[in-house]
Amino acid sequence: MNRQALDELKQQIPLLDYLRAHDWRPAKPLRGGRWMGLCPLHTDHKPSFLVDPGKNLFYCYGCGRGGDVIRFAELHHHVRFPQALTLLRQWRGLAPLHQQVADFYRMQLHRHGEAVAYLHQRGVRSPELIEHMQIGYAPTTGKAA
Ligand SMILES: [Zn+2]
C-alpha cells in the first residue's frame, strides 16, 4: 500500500467516527472542535484522551500515546500495522451501514420525549452534545444506546 492509498484510507475513516464505533464517548468539548474523553487505551479515571477531528489525530496525556486512526487501530486491537490496515478496510466497508443505524436511532430519539428525559436524568443536557455523541434510542428495547 503506497502513501497515497494510506492517506485515502485515513480520509475515508474519520477518527472520531471510528472511536465512537468502538464505544468511545466524548466527555468534554474543547476549543477548535476538539474533544476530551476517557482514554480507551489505559485505565483512565478522568478524561485525558484528546481527539482532534480536524487533524484526525488523538493524544493521551495519561499514557502518552497518540497518532492517527491507523495507530489507534494498532493499539486498540493489539495488532501490527498491516493487520490494522485490514481491520480499517473491513470497517470502512461496513461504515455506511453503521451510519444508517445511527441515523435511525437518532431520529427515534427526537421523537421520544422519555428518551430525552432519560438523558437529562443522566446529566446529558446539551442538544449539541447529544447530537455530537449521536446518542441513539431504541424504543423496542427501551434502552438508550
Ligand atoms: Zn491513555
Side-chain angles (χ1 to χ4, degrees):
M1 206 175 190
N2 62 29
R3 179 69 201 255
Q4 196 191 343
L6 279 181
D7 285 344
E8 271 173 28
L9 182 69
K10 285 194 274 186
Q11 274 167 20
Q12 286 163 353
I13 303 180
L15 177 62
L16 196 59
D17 288 0
Y18 191 74
L19 288 169
R20 278 196 303 231
H22 290 79
D23 291 330
W24 187 75
R25 297 282 172 258
K28 203 172 82 177
L30 300 178
R31 277 191 308 175
R34 296 172 305 158
W35 289 88
M36 290 296 285
L38 292 175
C39 177
L41 303 173
H42 80 277
T43 309
D44 204 5
H45 299 292
K46 64 180 170 80
S48 46
F49 190 78
L50 173 73
V51 178
D52 188 330
K55 295 189 178 134
N56 236 7
L57 294 172
F58 71 94
Y59 180 75
C60 175
Y61 290 96
C63 60
R65 287 179 286 192
D68 57 18
V69 69
I70 300 170
R71 183 76 186 126
F72 180 80
E74 282 182 304
L75 292 167
H76 187 73
H77 297 290
H78 306 285
V79 295
R80 290 173 186 277
F81 192 76
Q83 282 89 48
L85 292 184
T86 304
L87 287 171
L88 288 169
R89 279 197 294 259
Q90 282 170 352
W91 189 84
R92 181 185 57 185
L94 295 171
L97 183 66
H98 292 156
Q99 194 52 50
Q100 276 176 24
V101 172
D103 286 347
F104 172 77
Y105 284 131
R106 207 163 43 183
M107 236 162 56
Q108 297 294 324
L109 180 65
H110 290 302
R111 285 187 194 150
H112 289 81
E114 81 257 35
V116 176
Y118 168 82
L119 290 173
H120 280 204
Q121 232 174 50
R122 300 274 303 261
V124 181
R125 288 162 199 281
S126 150
E128 294 80 25
L129 185 60
I130 291 172
E131 188 67 19
H132 201 92
M133 288 165 77
Q134 295 199 351
I135 295 169
Y137 179 65
T140 46
T141 62
K143 276 186 193 161

